[in-house]
């Protein structure tokens, strides 16, 4: 069991945070963005970036080549729908996709929108961590949190 501190300050003990989220044991702030048979999309609002989406498999796997044919199809289809919604309702031109197979949770992809303020951290993979940390440590205002929750709502209604 691992102790995890949630963005609302509460701590929970779970085997796997992704399992806890995708099974509904933990409700993410802002709620579920969209759920399919095999995938679950939500935002970690501790990183206040409008339109950032975390897409997690429901099955406890780590690697891309563990996906079944059906899961693989579901994955690319739902990711594409989310991407389209990010463009259409939030006006996001570019997304950075990130996942690492040696995760301490399970298979999940970060879909990180690219905004102009991120340019000072570089333009490619090297900028991802600094961008996330900057968002968490320096953009965590009530105003930004409100914008993030509105963006979640906009994505959810575009996707349902
Ligand atoms: Zn899991």
């Amino acid at each position: 069991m691992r102790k995890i501190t949630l963005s609302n300050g509460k701590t929970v003990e779970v085997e796997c945070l992704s399992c806890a989220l995708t099974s509904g044991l933990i409700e993410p702030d802002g709620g579920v963005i969209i759920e399919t048979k095999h995938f679950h999309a939500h935002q970690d609002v501790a990183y206040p970036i409008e339109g950032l989406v975390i897409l997690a498999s429901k099955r406890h796997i780590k690697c891309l080549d563990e996906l079944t044919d059906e899961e693989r199809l579901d994955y690319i289809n739902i990711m594409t729908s989310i991407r389209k919604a990010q463009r259409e309702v939030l006006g996001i031109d570019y997304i950075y996709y990130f996942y690492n197979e040696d995760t301490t949770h399970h298979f999940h992809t970060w879909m990180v929108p690219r905004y102009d303020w991120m340019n000072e951290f570089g333009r490619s993979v090297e900028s991802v961590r600094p961008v996330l940390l900057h968002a968490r440590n320096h953009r965590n205002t009530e105003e930004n949190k409100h914008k993030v929750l509105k963006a979640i709502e906009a994505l959810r209604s575009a996707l349902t």
Side-chain angles (χ1 to χ4, degrees), residues 75-90:
Y75 177 59
I76 196 68
N77 285 341
I78 191 57
M79 193 154 53
T80 306
S81 300
I82 293 167
R83 173 64 191 100
K84 196 160 174 264
Q86 287 166 321
R87 187 188 307 284
E88 287 175 356
V89 301
L90 301 177

Side-chain angles (χ1 to χ4, degrees), residues 104-124:
T104 53
H105 312 148
H106 75 229
F107 188 85
H108 64 286
T109 304
W110 288 70
M111 301 174 69
V112 185
R114 189 70 188 176
Y115 292 111
D116 287 343
W117 65 263
M118 297 172 177
N119 290 338
E120 66 175 287
F121 300 100
R123 284 212 58 83
S124 188

Side-chain angles (χ1 to χ4, degrees), residues 63-68 72 99 101 107:
C63 301
L64 187 74
D65 59 337
E66 292 177 79
L67 294 172
T68 64
R72 211 157 56 216
Y99 83 86
E101 293 184 334
F107 188 85

Side-chain angles (χ1 to χ4, degrees), residues 15-26:
E15 290 283 358
C16 168
L17 180 62
S18 304
C19 281
L21 282 161
T22 58
S23 70
L25 185 68
I26 296 174

Side-chain angles (χ1 to χ4, degrees), residues 33-99:
I33 294 172
I34 188 172
E35 206 173 340
T36 62
K37 190 172 171 196
H38 301 292
F39 284 86
H40 179 283
H42 61 277
Q43 172 154 14
D44 184 342
V45 301
Y47 299 97
I49 298 172
E50 288 169 82
L52 181 149
V53 174
I54 298 171
L55 180 61
S57 66
K58 291 188 173 173
R59 207 156 59 83
H60 185 83
I61 54 170
K62 302 269 185 186
C63 301
L64 187 74
D65 59 337
E66 292 177 79
L67 294 172
T68 64
D69 288 355
E70 193 183 304
E71 286 169 336
R72 211 157 56 216
L73 196 63
D74 195 20
Y75 177 59
I76 196 68
N77 285 341
I78 191 57
M79 193 154 53
T80 306
S81 300
I82 293 167
R83 173 64 191 100
K84 196 160 174 264
Q86 287 166 321
R87 187 188 307 284
E88 287 175 356
V89 301
L90 301 177
I92 295 165
D93 290 331
Y94 297 107
I95 295 289
Y96 284 18
Y97 301 84
F98 179 79
Y99 83 86

